[in-house]
Amino acid sequence: MTGGIGAGDASAGIVAGRVALAAPGTEFHSRDVALGTERPAVFADALASEADAAASAAADAFFALQTEPGELDPVVLVRALAVALEGRRAELVAIAGIETGLPPARLNSELGRMTGQLELLAAEATARSGRAVEEDPAGEPGGAAFAPALALGHVPLGPVAVFGASNFPFAFGVLGGDTAAALAAGCPVVAKGHPAYPETSDLLAEILARVLADGGWPAGWFSLLHGRGSEIGQALVAADGIAAVAFTGSTRGGLALVEAAAARAVPIPVFAELGGINALYLLPGAAGEAGGGAASGASPFVTGLAQSVTGGSGQFCTKPGLLVLVDDAASRLTVASLASVLAAADSAPLLTPGILHALVTGIDRLRRLPGVDVLLDGPTDETDVAAAVPAALATVTSADLRADPSITDELFGPAVVVVYCDSIEDLIDLTGVIPGGLTATIHAAAGDEDALHALLRRLRLRAGRVLFGGFPTGVRVGRATTHGGPFPATSAPGTTSVGAHAIDRFLRPVTYQDLPESMRAAALSWK
Amino acid sequence: MTGGIGAGDASAGIVAGRVALAAPGTEFHSRDVALGTERPAVFADALASEADAAASAAADAFFALQTEPGELDPVVLVRALAVALEGRRAELVAIAGIETGLPPARLNSELGRMTGQLELLAAEATARSGRAVEEDPAGEPGGAAFAPALALGHVPLGPVAVFGASNFPFAFGVLGGDTAAALAAGCPVVAKGHPAYPETSDLLAEILARVLADGGWPAGWFSLLHGRGSEIGQALVAADGIAAVAFTGSTRGGLALVEAAAARAVPIPVFAELGGINALYLLPGAAGEAGGGAASGASPFVTGLAQSVTGGSGQFCTKPGLLVLVDDAASRLTVASLASVLAAADSAPLLTPGILHALVTGIDRLRRLPGVDVLLDGPTDETDVAAAVPAALATVTSADLRADPSITDELFGPAVVVVYCDSIEDLIDLTGVIPGGLTATIHAAAGDEDALHALLRRLRLRAGRVLFGGFPTGVRVGRATTHGGPFPATSAPGTTSVGAHAIDRFLRPVTYQDLPESMRAAALSWK
């Protein structure tokens, strides 16, 4: 089998190098999304007790490496993993393509992003570990003020539970950004694989297990657990030894983990990246440039927005879900042009039958709300899970949206809602009604300066990333990246899950007071 | 009346500049700790609905200042507050002395620390606001990689609920470090005053209210609520508009807030600083220097430890609660000398009858545990709350501690437990049994090098601050300070509640993508 784990049996994952024990009667198959069929490979939900076993092995491995540091270096591990993933690129893209229906170009790009994030975090760890972040030198002996010497360093938090997301098998999967940040920080990981792509998860786990074995790392540094219900995840968050949780997925799922983590005898932080609507505000000056009748060809704005809505079949946490504009002739032309382009833009099948069901149900619910005008129906048939997915487009007025803010509920898939405002003042005011999230985007042109300033100051309170032009689905993985924001973008508003600062989530500051010079290297290294 | 709020009636606090409404029948008096009597001033629990009113006023004020920024500058506010507090120093020290029984020297020092923290945070805000924390310049136009320009800034989180602690009316009171950090970050504050010193809290609130009025700030930028039960605090954490919670107090109280915050429709972060045992490890070489018979005069170590245990009547979250050493002749001499010094060291009365009750009960519980030998009884009479408090000292072997780890439960007051280990290996291993906390202290001398290294790597996993020599009750307020650590030191292990980085708890990162130069100042300023 592709995953190489539990050959001959159902795979429930890998716990510290051994096959995970499966809960009886929980077998399930991986799926071929394009064919809409089950694959031969068989998986199963891991026994809840395996969460404890994996957490315990991770905690033991962590304690051993922290207290008996040797040659093992998280930076070397992370870099070796990036190399190993590149070496298995063809296999990875092939199996992920079958399980997700995502095209090879997208998956190749996502894999490059995944290894790029590993490299970025390795560089960040190299630049930081072993150095004091801050130092307060000792005051004069016998001076009036109490002033011992302080040196600020960090330690890894400990074993991290990572929950892979449905929509990015590489960048937010079991070896995605959360795992990369945890490993770079010197933390072991217990990952819960998303049931949408178990073969891909198994292959990723096998690659890391080999890198760990080749490098002499304890097998407990990484475990993978399969499971479809919430039981295994709840067991993992409750397990002794788990020090933090990283999650990407639904608001409901994330909130359940937040509550479970807070109810522990020892509460632990949860870094849950959840949903969001990613509103895009098209100001009147820019709308004048963006319009153009459907007949005269779409503008770059319309083409770009349509691509951002339909790319990855709209299954991005940064997909623009609302287009907010002032109701005038230019806006109407823009929306007509957008409808025309979206009508011609079928997307690849959705990742799972559950996502298709939620989208069909969500559009149906939207259609029944007062004032909602559905211009493009989107998918209506839930039976053919392998069918291409047409885009959905609806319009509503700001007054109707205010009357029922549930119109802004996220539609995960190629769907966008247009909101017509009465005036620019109305549009600015509407920012207080539209929920916060990962991103907010402003398109402005000459004449929009005043509104631009007003929007900036409001939208930075509502988003982790504010874009001036462009579209939110492109996320640059850099030092200045924030992939977070106010709830529901994340449950931990002070943090980011992408970029160099993602490593901060898994480090804890430690101050050394009057640290002897001879202890300095040992104290300030995370390793 | 001292507080100047609600004159003629019971004070339930101040909500956005008006007198807070009191819950009927909840009147209580402030107390004179030295006399053990009630004072004339009358207070009352605020109505739970006042939490909503205060939160709402704070949220409105915050939104107004964020969206219509004018001349109001958090740095100016924080500096003006420091000046105003210094100007009322005599009054503040007088009333706090009556309500807490703490001596003027200690209160004067604490007030200096409070204003020093305000100055430090003002400097930190000045150095940071208006600048990009990180920048990723744009890639080449048309280049292969997706590389928009990114600039990383911050925004204030929003209204912060602050819970004052019993033991530091200034440094951890309603205008303590948490409020200072929130205000410096540009956040309004709703503070819950500790019922141990309501007159002091009212005076502090009055001083800040005047500074706000003089500076033209909205009255909703700060509110104070009185209350003795958990109801008002729970209402405050649940209130719409509250964006974060800062708490210093008991583990039980903090955990209740953590759970309440996680159960909100919009969960919010809780920065709860809780308890801890602050173990001090005296290694054999250092014990040789620390000993000395009681007759020959105490060593600097014994004198310093006794001061650290009894200072502030032991009511510090950093009080050393465990002395861990290897059982040998030098250690026995050290403990005998410590007993002798502690026996002669009566402390001022405890802050509240509740603290006295908990201490008497805790020592009584400890005495009944197998293997515990109580050398100094500590207080035994709960009736005289104004009496000086004798110190408590008990000893136990590491084997008995392992058999019942509840021996390490914090005794809040002048009490310390000595743990005799069989060997240095036993002492090192015991670090895994002793709970983590704010601090861990190592005293080492020649010959202790191997153990010192082993302890460093273990203790940094168990504490937010590791001291090499010295005593943990002194907390330097600096750039490199960590007042935090693993649970129960804090519920937010990535953060500190003291020092320059305390401001980070109340800021949220925001990334600006392709930010126009003309918007740069408005975007990167927190104001």
Side-chain angles (χ1 to χ4, degrees):
Chain A
M1 62 177 281
T2 306
I5 295 164
D9 267 312
S11 164
I14 174 172
V15 171
R18 65 166 172 79
V19 175
L21 300 176
T26 63
E27 285 76 12
F28 65 100
H29 287 266
S30 52
R31 290 180 65 255
D32 184 317
V33 165
L35 299 178
T37 55
E38 290 194 336
R39 305 245 311 154
V42 188
F43 297 86
D45 300 346
L47 275 177
S49 59
E50 290 291 61
D52 289 313
S56 175
D60 289 347
F62 179 67
F63 184 77
L65 262 70
Q66 277 291 312
T67 54
E68 300 290 343
E71 296 304 304
L72 297 179
D73 184 339
V75 169
V76 173
L77 171 63
V78 166
R79 292 206 160 118
L81 176 58
V83 170
L85 290 166
E86 288 294 349
R88 307 284 287 271
R89 176 180 277 271
E91 268 173 276
L92 283 163
V93 167
I95 187 62
I98 291 169
E99 288 194 298
T100 65
L102 295 169
R106 145 75 196 269
L107 288 168
N108 272 299
S109 154
E110 188 186 330
L111 185 59
R113 182 188 146 136
M114 179 193 196
T115 55
Q117 173 97 353
L118 286 164
E119 293 289 351
L120 179 73
L121 289 164
E124 190 66 19
T126 302
R128 291 211 226 166
S129 179
R131 290 177 178 79
V133 179
E134 301 271 8
E135 296 213 52
D136 294 308
E140 292 295 309
F146 173 71
L150 302 181
L152 180 61
H154 283 96
V155 285
L157 267 186
V160 177
V162 171
F163 290 76
S166 65
N167 54 342
F168 282 89
F170 299 143
F172 292 89
V174 296
L175 299 191
D178 291 331
T179 296
L183 293 178
C187 299
V189 168
V190 181
K192 154 82 170 59
H194 197 283
Y197 47 79
E199 291 189 61
T200 306
S201 295
D202 264 9
L203 178 55
L204 290 164
E206 181 202 311
I207 291 170
L208 176 51
R210 191 164 303 177
V211 170
L212 288 170
D214 289 351
W217 289 75
W221 210 259
F222 179 79
S223 292
L224 167 67
L225 301 170
H226 288 301
R228 289 158 306 164
S230 60
E231 192 186 1
I232 188 73
Q234 289 283 328
L236 185 53
V237 172
D240 269 357
I242 294 296
V245 178
F247 170 90
T248 306
S250 73
T251 301
R252 200 180 62 172
L255 283 180
L257 298 185
V258 167
E259 287 207 55
R264 288 171 52 116
V266 173
I268 55 176
V270 177
F271 306 100
E273 192 216 310
L274 309 169
I277 191 66
N278 301 295
L280 190 151
Y281 297 84
L282 179 65
L283 300 187
E289 298 177 4
S296 67
S299 66
F301 172 81
V302 166
T303 310
L305 178 57
Q307 280 173 353
S308 193
V309 168
T310 59
S313 301
Q315 299 163 109
F316 291 156
C317 47
T318 51
K319 182 210 71 176
L322 281 188
L323 171 62
V324 187
L325 30 66
V326 176
D327 191 359
D328 61 17
S331 291
R332 293 273 166 178
L333 276 176
T334 303
V335 174
S337 175
L338 179 64
S340 167
V341 173
L342 285 176
D346 276 356
S347 297
L350 295 169
L351 293 164
T352 68
I355 292 175
L356 177 59
H357 173 71
L359 181 59
V360 170
T361 311
I363 295 168
D364 201 47
R365 193 189 73 85
L366 188 66
R367 185 195 316 274
R368 296 160 197 267
L369 297 179
V372 173
D373 188 11
V374 174
L375 304 187
L376 298 175
D377 283 328
T380 51
D381 178 9
E382 288 187 44
T383 57
D384 188 0
V385 294
V389 180
L393 176 67
T395 66
V396 69
T397 67
S398 60
D400 287 320
L401 189 153
R402 281 193 180 81
D404 187 350
S406 81
I407 287 171
T408 64
D409 286 359
E410 184 177 1
L411 290 170
F412 197 69
V416 62
V417 175
V418 174
V419 184
Y420 286 116
C421 298
D422 296 335
S423 63
I424 190 66
E425 292 75 22
D426 182 37
L427 178 146
I428 291 168
D429 184 73
L430 200 67
T431 57
V433 178
I434 294 171
L438 290 162
T439 75
T441 303
I442 311 171
H443 279 250
D448 293 326
E449 289 77 10
D450 288 353
L452 182 59
H453 267 88
L455 275 183
L456 162 70
R457 297 287 297 201
R458 281 163 175 77
L459 292 179
R460 69 178 195 162
L461 299 178
R462 314 288 285 178
R465 178 164 53 112
V466 179
L467 293 81
F468 298 84
F471 301 96
T473 38
V475 179
R476 180 176 182 182
V477 182
R479 294 198 52 77
T481 304
T482 301
H483 197 66
F487 187 86
T490 169
S491 63
T495 69
T496 176
S497 68
V498 176
H501 286 278
I503 202 170
D504 291 322
R505 298 182 301 160
F506 304 118
L507 294 170
R508 177 170 66 72
V510 181
T511 295
Y512 300 100
Q513 182 167 321
D514 293 328
L515 178 66
E517 192 57 36
S518 62
M519 312 289 293
R520 199 172 160 86
L524 295 175
S525 168
W526 304 339
K527 288 186 273 186
Chain B
M1 63 177 281
T2 306
I5 295 164
D9 269 311
S11 164
I14 175 172
V15 172
R18 65 167 172 78
V19 175
L21 299 176
T26 63
E27 286 76 14
F28 65 100
H29 287 267
S30 53
R31 291 181 64 256
D32 183 318
V33 165
L35 299 179
T37 56
E38 290 193 337
R39 304 248 307 158
V42 187
F43 298 85
D45 300 347
L47 275 177
S49 59
E50 290 290 63
D52 289 313
S56 176
D60 288 349
F62 178 68
F63 184 76
L65 262 69
Q66 278 291 312
T67 54
E68 301 290 345
E71 296 304 303
L72 296 178
D73 184 339
V75 169
V76 173
L77 171 64
V78 165
R79 291 208 162 117
L81 177 58
V83 170
L85 290 167
E86 288 294 350
R88 306 286 285 271
R89 175 181 278 271
E91 268 173 275
L92 283 163
V93 168
I95 187 61
I98 290 169
E99 288 195 299
T100 65
L102 295 169
R106 145 73 196 272
L107 288 168
N108 272 299
S109 153
E110 188 186 329
L111 184 59
R113 182 188 144 136
M114 179 193 196
T115 56
Q117 173 97 355
L118 286 164
E119 293 289 351
L120 179 73
L121 289 163
E124 189 67 17
T126 302
R128 290 210 226 169
S129 179
R131 289 178 178 79
V133 179
E134 302 270 7
E135 297 212 52
D136 294 309
E140 292 296 310
F146 172 71
L150 303 181
L152 180 61
H154 282 97
V155 284
L157 266 186
V160 178
V162 172
F163 290 77
S166 66
N167 54 342
F168 282 89
F170 299 143
F172 291 91
V174 296
L175 299 191
D178 290 331
T179 296
L183 293 178
C187 299
V189 168
V190 182
K192 154 82 171 60
H194 197 283
Y197 48 79
E199 291 189 60
T200 306
S201 295
D202 264 9
L203 178 56
L204 291 164
E206 181 201 311
I207 292 169
L208 176 51
R210 190 163 304 179
V211 170
L212 289 169
D214 289 350
W217 288 75
W221 209 257
F222 179 80
S223 293
L224 167 67
L225 301 169
H226 289 299
R228 290 159 306 166
S230 61
E231 192 186 358
I232 188 73
Q234 289 282 327
L236 185 54
V237 172
D240 269 357
I242 294 295
V245 178
F247 170 91
T248 307
S250 71
T251 301
R252 201 181 61 173
L255 283 180
L257 299 185
V258 167
E259 287 206 55
R264 287 170 52 115
V266 173
I268 55 176
V270 177
F271 305 100
E273 192 216 309
L274 309 171
I277 191 67
N278 300 297
L280 189 152
Y281 297 84
L282 179 64
L283 300 187
E289 297 176 4
S296 66
S299 66
F301 172 82
V302 166
T303 309
L305 178 57
Q307 278 172 356
S308 193
V309 169
T310 60
S313 302
Q315 298 163 110
F316 291 154
C317 48
T318 50
K319 183 210 72 178
L322 281 188
L323 170 62
V324 187
L325 31 66
V326 176
D327 191 0
D328 60 19
S331 291
R332 292 274 166 176
L333 276 175
T334 303
V335 175
S337 175
L338 178 64
S340 166
V341 173
L342 285 177
D346 275 357
S347 297
L350 294 169
L351 294 164
T352 69
I355 292 174
L356 177 60
H357 172 71
L359 181 59
V360 170
T361 311
I363 296 169
D364 200 47
R365 194 191 72 86
L366 189 66
R367 185 196 313 276
R368 294 160 199 268
L369 297 178
V372 173
D373 188 10
V374 174
L375 304 186
L376 298 174
D377 283 328
T380 51
D381 179 8
E382 288 187 45
T383 57
D384 188 359
V385 293
V389 180
L393 176 66
T395 66
V396 68
T397 67
S398 60
D400 287 319
L401 190 154
R402 282 193 179 81
D404 186 350
S406 82
I407 287 171
T408 64
D409 286 359
E410 185 176 1
L411 291 170
F412 197 67
V416 59
V417 175
V418 173
V419 185
Y420 287 116
C421 298
D422 296 336
S423 63
I424 189 68
E425 293 75 23
D426 181 38
L427 178 147
I428 291 168
D429 183 73
L430 200 68
T431 58
V433 177
I434 294 170
L438 289 162
T439 75
T441 303
I442 312 170
H443 279 251
D448 293 326
E449 289 77 10
D450 288 353
L452 182 59
H453 267 88
L455 275 183
L456 162 69
R457 297 287 298 199
R458 282 162 175 78
L459 292 180
R460 70 179 197 162
L461 299 177
R462 312 290 283 180
R465 178 164 53 111
V466 179
L467 294 82
F468 298 84
F471 301 96
T473 38
V475 179
R476 180 176 182 181
V477 182
R479 295 198 52 78
T481 304
T482 301
H483 196 67
F487 186 88
T490 170
S491 63
T495 69
T496 177
S497 67
V498 176
H501 286 278
I503 203 169
D504 291 322
R505 297 181 301 160
F506 304 119
L507 294 170
R508 178 169 66 72
V510 182
T511 295
Y512 300 100
Q513 182 168 320
D514 293 328
L515 178 67
E517 192 59 34
S518 63
M519 311 290 292
R520 198 172 162 86
L524 296 174
S525 168
W526 304 339
K527 288 187 272 186

